[in-house]
Amino acid sequence: PEDPALHAAVFALAARGRGPLRAAALAFMPQVTDAPRLAEVVPLLADADPTVRAAAGQVLRRLDGRPHAAAIARLAAESTDAQVR
């Protein structure tokens, strides 16, 4: 649905929420976002919470994150976390 307030709330929760609620917000993102907003998801691939990392990866796969491949590769190259790489 075209609802900018809902989009903003889901992104805010995904970026700054706590615990499993962040991963739940990410799981909901494909329903409320478009590809240009995916740039905000890429940094969440390096989140400390493995559930958030997995959910961010799912969002990028479902919404075709290929345009962000360079940023994803850079993040993986800079990370010391084997799960991020």
Side-chain angles (χ1 to χ4, degrees):
E2 190 60 37
D3 185 343
L6 176 61
H7 295 199
V10 170
F11 271 98
L13 187 56
R16 294 182 297 279
R18 295 191 179 224
L21 196 53
R22 293 180 69 207
L26 280 164
F28 188 62
M29 285 176 73
Q31 308 306 319
V32 299
T33 193
D34 54 10
R37 301 278 322 243
L38 288 181
E40 298 173 47
V41 176
V42 173
L44 297 177
L45 291 170
D47 195 88
D49 184 334
T51 307
V52 171
R53 289 193 305 263
Q58 285 283 24
V59 169
L60 290 166
R61 280 191 296 276
R62 286 185 65 197
L63 292 175
D64 191 12
R66 287 180 289 180
H68 304 285
I72 294 167
R74 188 171 42 256
L75 178 69
E78 294 170 355
S79 178
T80 58
D81 185 338
Q83 288 185 350
V84 172
R85 284 184 273 122

